[in-house]
Amino acid sequence: MLLVRDVLDKQMVDRHGNRMGKVDGVVIRWADDGAPRVVYLEAGAVTLARRLGRRLGHWAAGLAHRWGGRHTESYRIPWNRVRAVTLELSVDVDAEETRVNVVEDWLRQHVVEHIPGGRK
Amino acid sequence: MSQTEIHLELLLGRKVHDSRGRPVGRIEEVTASREDLECVVEEFHLGPHALLERLSLPLIRVFRGRGHGVRRVPCDRLDLSDPMRPRLTCALEELPVEPD
Amino acid sequence: MKRLVEIALGVVTGIGGFLEAGSLATAAQAGADFRFDLIWAVILGAACLAFLVEMCGRLSAISKHTVPDAMRERFGFRFFMVPLVIMQLVMYLVMATELGGVAIALQLVSGVSYRWWSIPVGLLAWALLWKGTFGLIEKGVSVLGLVTLAFVVGAFHLHPPLADVLHGAIPRLPSHDRAHYWFLAVSILGASISPYLFFFYSAGAVEDKWDVSHLSINRITAGAGMGFGGIVAIGALVVAGVVFHPAGVKVDSFEQLPILLTSALGHWGFILFVASLAVACFGAAQEIALTSAYLMAQGFGWRWSENLPPSDDARFSLTYTLMTALACLPALLGVDVLKLTNISMVVSAASLPVVVLPLLVIMNDRRYLRDYPNGWFANTVVSAIVVLAFALAVASFPLLLTGGG
């Protein structure tokens, strides 16, 4: 398996087949006393911002802290949840439960639902 | 350096130098194997041919030739204590070279 | 039977959706300035569009991934930022001209300046996206868009010399005003081969849940839909060639254009023109707003679908909301809509390589296309289009400066 070709930037799909975002980052844990392993998949705007530049990453992280408090924007999915690696990554989680999208929820509560017709 | 975490996406494209300071190539791809629920990193592939490999551009097979093929670096030969400046723990010549 | 309905809908969408502010403006100017000599550009544009659209549909049907999905997944996020930023800029300009086109249509009917109409039009376009579904937008655009066939009818009514019309279908070098000729050729191609159309079509294939069984529908929709759509643009060009060219009229604004159809169809011509302009531009504006949102959502991995209520895909919905709001500004501020159209067509043409080249690579990737990758013929055609796209990109801005307006 090639991590860049097959994992990074690929679509994640939850256990119900719903789209769950793209893999924005891959976290490798490098222990001196063992082979390095992929431990997490990361998704979030901060992770993306960092890929464009360090300063941008710092700025985005700062924003995320101010808005989200404890919740940073980037969400981590443990590798052991990955079931299959095909054109997408099938991940054994429920997109609804994981609240991958802190920004999505915030926008829904504070913007969309205040616009006429926005409330379901 | 135990339990250091490194972001793969930030390693992409970084220039790697060998133990003597000579440039080897940029990190373009990383191979791994799945064992049960784990994913073990095996090799780092460097150099322009590795980029083509990642992009799986079949058309480019014609243009290989002048070149060293893909430079494969086993993970134990890469020192990532400074992720911004990856270094080989050995000299260039000691790397296995894949001709294809 | 159901398949027949789908095919019919697809073809009708192609026909009804082809004409919009850009293709109308460029066709009118081309007819006025060069009579029928630029018909070949419309044909070339429609043909390229048909090929590219078929590929995007095939990609989405087989892989269930859209073009922006594939671009990010295949080439990585950093690369993806380039087409993302460029396309959003292009789409913004084009959408501003579409909203402007609707506003001008309303000005023609009401006498109230188009600047006042800008916001109401934007609001209506947004409201239909907010509350509507993909099927509604798609069918609305297609069925209402058929009013643009008035140009084809008008062209027949004017009895243009058939030999001259056919003559214009053959590419030729200009006899006069070279820079302006090529500027219009580039603009026509930019108006026909709009990248936003590929993204919209590919997202639509996923919204409509296309699969392998839809491949023939895809081919017919792309071929017949875009093909016949080109005929509508040719109709507009021919009408302009008959009405404007002999009189030496220079097309400077959309307000001059109703005479095209009143000359051909009398009193009804005015109503049909206004309706055509309004409907064609409105439909295009909605498509572009959606495409802007599709591009962001698919590239960044957000939840997306026009079939979802906005509260279920907040970022997606707010993207098209923001785009619509911003696109109202130029018309509101009184920007010359025709001039803006000319600029946006050229910018659109210049942006083509950024989309078509990655598409060429993706269409050969068996992980996406499985048993249906491009064959040698399709690859040859797309490669030729890539070369054309680069030529357009290089030539567009110099031509805009030397031959524009």
Side-chain angles (χ1 to χ4, degrees):
Chain A
M1 183 174 60
L2 301 180
L3 289 181
V4 179
R5 188 193 65 181
D6 301 332
V7 177
L8 186 62
D9 290 319
K10 302 302 168 286
Q11 182 73 52
M12 290 187 289
V13 166
D14 77 355
R15 64 164 76 102
H16 302 299
N18 295 320
R19 275 181 234 113
M20 233 181 93
K22 306 240 191 276
V23 177
D24 299 323
V26 175
V27 181
I28 296 175
R29 193 169 282 154
W30 194 288
D32 251 346
D33 47 291
R37 286 175 168 71
V38 173
V39 282
Y40 294 112
L41 302 175
E42 225 177 61
V46 177
T47 315
L48 282 178
R50 235 183 278 126
R51 288 171 76 175
L52 293 178
R54 278 225 297 197
R55 206 127 26 108
L56 198 60
H58 280 315
W59 179 77
L63 267 186
H65 273 301
R66 236 171 314 139
W67 272 0
R70 248 179 330 111
H71 304 286
T72 57
E73 228 286 315
S74 290
Y75 187 82
R76 288 187 165 189
I77 295 151
W79 177 268
N80 56 33
R81 297 293 196 135
V82 173
R83 290 288 163 264
V85 178
T86 55
L87 196 54
E88 298 105 2
L89 266 74
S90 306
V91 181
D92 189 20
V93 292
D94 200 319
E96 294 299 322
E97 291 171 1
T98 59
R99 300 190 78 236
V100 177
N101 304 306
V102 172
V103 172
E104 177 91 19
D105 290 335
W106 188 92
L107 284 173
R108 175 175 13 102
Q109 283 174 31
H110 293 108
V111 183
V112 173
E113 294 196 339
H114 294 289
I115 299 177
R119 217 172 269 272
K120 251 205 281 210
Chain B
M1 211 194 81
S2 63
Q3 300 292 302
T4 335
E5 281 188 354
I6 291 192
H7 282 259
L8 168 67
E9 71 278 8
L10 300 177
L11 282 181
L12 254 198
R14 294 236 177 273
K15 267 203 211 115
V16 177
H17 294 262
D18 76 349
S19 54
R20 304 221 192 111
R22 291 171 296 175
V24 183
R26 292 182 188 267
I27 298 177
E28 299 293 355
E29 185 58 275
V30 180
T31 61
S33 64
R34 298 184 69 188
E35 293 160 17
D36 297 325
L37 293 177
E38 295 206 314
C39 177
V40 182
V41 174
E42 292 174 338
E43 293 178 333
F44 293 85
H45 288 192
L46 313 182
H49 295 284
L51 175 61
L52 298 179
E53 171 196 39
R54 159 164 61 111
L55 295 182
S56 308
L57 290 173
L59 321 162
I60 315 289
R61 258 190 247 287
V62 186
F63 297 111
R64 248 172 335 158
R66 183 177 62 97
H68 326 270
V70 169
R71 287 226 191 269
R72 298 159 61 182
V73 180
C75 57
D76 55 2
R77 299 280 181 97
L78 193 65
D79 171 14
L80 287 170
S81 45
D82 180 359
M84 302 287 289
R85 272 166 281 268
R87 306 201 64 199
L88 293 189
T89 57
C90 63
L92 222 162
E93 295 77 20
E94 297 163 44
L95 281 184
V97 173
E98 181 192 339
D100 193 61
Chain C
M1 185 57 210
K2 181 164 178 282
R3 285 298 143 114
L4 237 67
V5 172
E6 286 194 61
I7 293 179
L9 181 64
V11 175
V12 166
T13 309
I15 299 176
F18 193 93
L19 203 68
E20 36 74 51
S23 42
L24 178 59
T26 52
Q29 288 171 88
D33 297 339
F34 294 99
R35 208 166 170 241
F36 307 140
D37 287 353
L38 280 165
I39 287 182
W40 63 268
V42 181
I43 295 177
L44 178 61
C48 290
L49 179 64
F51 269 106
L52 293 171
V53 158
E54 187 277 331
M55 289 181 200
C56 296
R58 186 166 17 115
L59 170 71
S60 295
I62 306 288
S63 71
K64 312 285 194 289
H65 286 224
T66 63
V67 175
D69 279 334
M71 283 174 75
R72 158 115 192 244
E73 292 161 11
R74 197 75 173 53
F75 299 106
F77 177 67
R78 290 186 65 150
F79 163 82
F80 178 76
M81 288 302 288
V82 174
L84 176 69
V85 170
I86 292 178
M87 285 312 309
Q88 292 292 7
L89 275 164
V90 172
M91 285 196 284
Y92 173 72
L93 283 177
V94 181
M95 186 167 175
T97 75
E98 306 297 344
L99 289 178
V102 185
I104 288 185
L106 291 171
Q107 171 185 302
L108 288 169
V109 152
S110 66
V112 173
S113 162
Y114 71 96
R115 296 176 64 174
W116 289 107
W117 288 111
S118 169
I119 293 194
V121 168
L123 210 51
L124 180 64
W126 169 81
L128 286 174
L129 290 175
W130 193 253
K131 293 303 277 175
T133 60
F134 186 79
L136 176 74
I137 309 275
E138 198 182 21
K139 293 184 181 70
V141 168
S142 53
V143 172
L144 293 178
L146 288 178
V147 71
T148 57
L149 285 170
F151 285 101
V152 181
V153 174
F156 276 105
H157 264 259
L158 289 173
H159 303 296
L162 186 59
D164 294 353
V165 172
L166 290 177
H167 210 48
I170 303 166
R172 63 197 46 257
L173 292 176
S175 50
H176 62 101
D177 236 341
R178 223 164 279 139
H180 187 56
Y181 180 87
W182 289 113
F183 162 75
L184 283 176
V186 168
S187 304
I188 288 176
L189 291 172
S192 318
I193 319 176
S194 308
Y196 78 80
L197 280 173
F198 318 148
F199 296 145
F200 183 77
Y201 192 84
S202 119
V206 172
E207 295 264 42
D208 287 337
K209 301 200 178 3
W210 276 13
D211 57 32
V212 181
S213 64
H214 287 89
L215 287 185
S216 38
I217 295 182
N218 175 47
R219 241 175 276 133
I220 298 175
T221 303
M226 306 303 147
F228 291 134
I231 291 183
V232 177
I234 292 177
L237 193 159
V238 166
V239 172
V242 173
V243 175
F244 284 152
H245 185 82
V249 173
K250 190 99 181 69
V251 176
D252 275 328
S253 70
F254 277 97
E255 288 93 315
Q256 293 171 265
L257 300 184
I259 199 175
L260 291 176
L261 286 185
T262 53
S263 308
L265 303 170
H267 177 64
W268 276 106
F270 179 77
I271 297 174
L272 285 170
F273 176 83
V274 170
S276 295
L277 182 64
V279 166
C281 294
F282 191 79
Q286 294 205 296
E287 285 184 4
I288 298 174
L290 272 181
T291 304
S292 169
Y294 284 140
L295 186 60
M296 292 293 278
Q298 289 157 15
F300 286 101
W302 303 341
R303 195 135 183 245
W304 63 268
S305 174
E306 174 58 3
N307 291 324
L308 290 173
S311 54
D312 279 350
D313 49 13
R315 287 173 294 185
F316 171 76
S317 316
L318 290 175
T319 302
Y320 66 67
T321 303
L322 185 63
M323 181 57 116
T324 308
L326 291 175
C328 290
L329 291 179
L332 182 68
L333 297 173
V335 170
D336 182 328
V337 180
L338 189 70
K339 282 211 180 67
L340 186 63
T341 303
N342 283 340
I343 294 174
S344 67
M345 289 304 104
V346 164
V347 173
S348 181
S351 72
L352 262 181
V354 146
V355 177
V356 183
L357 190 52
L359 186 64
L360 173 60
V361 176
I362 292 168
M363 290 308 297
N364 285 288
D365 189 335
R366 277 188 180 267
R367 287 177 301 157
Y368 284 91
L369 275 308
R370 282 193 261 138
D371 292 327
Y372 303 92
N374 271 5
W376 66 268
F377 180 66
N379 277 334
T380 310
V381 171
V382 184
S383 304
I385 296 179
V386 170
V387 172
L388 174 65
F390 273 104
L392 291 178
V394 166
S396 53
F397 284 104
L399 282 176
L400 177 63
L401 295 174
T402 59

